[in-house]
């Protein structure tokens, strides 16, 4: 059921049927999840432990990990990989793109190609579309990133985007600021980060507890950490990283 369903009249014109009762939620677990954290913290290792999860390795970082994995090294290879997964009937329960941070680099090349395919851009001689004045090149970068999401989301019912951490330390000239305090955010560019976060059902910050070395994931958004979730069982939670606690309806052991 949808909040507003379309029906067809005898004349063939679609009309909207408005809901008259509360519609029960259809999803519990995240369909699109974004996790990010420091390099080498164990993100790829934890992905390998997720049953029937294809890890699309964009950074050549899975050589030491046994997993369902596929390496891609450029935008066109990612497109071909996603098309092959869909053509095969979407055989994986999960597909993880590891990492989306590297894919953004490929998007810059794709964005430049898209711009050069336009009438106004066919004479462009710069190296990258981001050289365009007044930041207009970022429109094409967003277009390229939208293509990535359109490719990866249909590959499985549950898709995981993996990103790197961008950490900023608060300090400097103001003596009141503690230089040991930092903000932790996803390492993506402006609008690209907004698109990725807004499309995701859950955003988790992955880190290790310094006392126990156990891997944790936080969905609790604070002034220092950018996280969150639409899923009730994850909203505002910080927990030891267990897939069964995230994808509860799939009964992962």
């Amino acid at each position: 059921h949808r909040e507003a369903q379309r029906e067809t009249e005898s004349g063939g014109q679609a009309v909207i049927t408005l809901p008259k009762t509360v519609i029960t939620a259809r999803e519990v677990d995240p369909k699109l999840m974004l996790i990010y954290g420091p390099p080498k913290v164990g993100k790829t290792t934890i992905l390998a432990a997720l049953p029937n999860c294809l890890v699309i390795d964009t950074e050549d970082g899975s050589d030491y990990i046994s997993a369902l994995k596929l390496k891609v090294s450029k935008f066109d290879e990612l497109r071909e990989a996603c098309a092959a997964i869909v053509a095969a009937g979407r055989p994986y329960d999960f597909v993880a793109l590891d990492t989306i941070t590297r894919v953004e680099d490929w998007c810059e090349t794709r964005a430049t190609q898209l711009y050069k395919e336009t009438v106004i851009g066919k004479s462009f001689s710069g190296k990258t579309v981001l050289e365009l004045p007044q930041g207009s090149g970022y429109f094409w970068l967003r277009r390229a990133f939208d293509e990535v999401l359109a490719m990866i989301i249909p590959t499985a019912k549950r898709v995981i985007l993996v990103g790197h951490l961008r950490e900023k330390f608060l300090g400097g000239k103001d003596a009141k600021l503690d230089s040991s305090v930092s903000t932790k955010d996803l390492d993506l560019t402006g609008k690209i980060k907004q698109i990725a976060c807004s499309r995701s059902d859950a955003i988790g910050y992955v880190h290790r507890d310094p006392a126990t070395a156990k891997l944790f994931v936080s969905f609790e958004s604070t002034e220092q950490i950018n996280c969150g979730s639409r899923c009730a069982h994850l909203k505002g939670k910080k927990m030891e990283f267990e897939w069964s606690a995230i994808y509860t309806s799939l009964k992962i052991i």
Side-chain angles (χ1 to χ4, degrees):
H1 299 292
R2 297 181 179 180
E3 286 77 3
Q5 295 178 327
R6 289 185 177 273
E7 295 181 353
T8 304
E9 296 177 328
S10 57
Q13 183 179 1
V15 296
I16 297 294
T17 300
L18 298 176
K20 297 180 176 62
T21 59
V22 174
I23 298 172
T24 304
R26 299 177 61 191
E27 295 288 346
V28 175
D29 300 328
K31 294 183 292 183
L32 179 64
M33 185 170 70
L34 193 160
I35 59 174
Y36 71 97
K40 310 297 188 296
V41 76
K43 299 186 295 295
T44 305
T45 301
I46 199 72
L47 289 172
L50 184 58
N52 199 27
C53 174
L54 176 68
V55 179
I56 300 180
D57 177 6
T58 68
E59 296 192 338
D60 201 24
S62 63
D63 286 348
Y64 296 92
I65 297 171
S66 298
L68 279 170
K69 55 187 178 181
L70 177 65
K71 290 186 180 183
V72 296
S73 59
K74 55 186 178 180
F75 192 96
D76 288 343
E77 286 182 3
L78 177 60
R79 185 197 304 278
E80 292 170 4
C82 292
I85 295 168
V86 174
R90 306 201 312 168
Y92 306 104
D93 293 323
F94 303 88
V95 170
L97 186 56
D98 184 16
T99 66
I100 196 69
T101 305
R102 173 58 61 86
V103 171
E104 184 187 7
D105 296 336
W106 302 345
C107 285
E108 185 173 338
T109 301
R110 174 59 177 160
T112 304
Q113 178 186 3
L114 288 170
Y115 179 66
K116 288 183 175 181
E117 290 173 355
T118 66
V119 173
I120 193 173
K122 63 182 180 180
S123 60
F124 178 68
S125 57
K127 293 183 178 180
T128 169
V129 73
L130 299 186
E131 297 173 7
L132 292 174
Q134 300 179 337
S136 58
Y138 286 96
F139 166 80
W140 297 99
L141 184 63
R142 294 194 295 273
R143 283 273 305 272
F145 190 76
D146 282 337
E147 283 191 12
V148 170
L149 293 181
M151 290 188 291
I152 193 67
I153 289 175
T155 58
K157 184 178 181 181
R158 312 285 177 186
V159 172
I160 304 167
L161 306 178
V162 184
H164 287 313
L165 170 69
R166 176 186 295 162
E167 190 167 18
K168 294 182 180 179
F169 289 91
L170 304 179
K173 296 180 180 179
D174 191 339
K176 295 181 180 180
L177 293 178
D178 184 353
S179 61
S180 66
V181 176
S182 64
T183 60
K184 296 173 175 59
D185 205 349
L186 175 65
D187 189 10
L188 288 177
T189 304
K191 291 289 186 180
I192 300 298
K193 181 178 69 177
Q194 292 180 21
I195 293 170
C197 291
S198 65
R199 293 290 298 275
S200 298
D201 301 309
I203 305 166
Y205 169 59
V206 181
H207 60 286
R208 288 200 178 273
D209 181 272
T212 64
K214 291 182 178 180
L215 192 66
F216 279 78
V217 58
S218 175
F219 297 95
E220 180 184 12
S221 186
T222 67
E223 291 183 0
Q224 286 77 39
I225 303 175
N226 181 19
C227 301
S229 175
R230 297 187 180 105
C231 308
H233 67 289
L234 300 177
K235 192 175 298 183
K237 298 291 181 63
K238 176 182 176 181
M239 63 186 79
E240 190 172 345
F241 203 125
E242 296 288 348
W243 288 118
S244 58
I246 296 172
Y247 294 109
T248 58
S249 63
L250 300 182
K251 309 296 182 185
I252 299 173
I253 300 175

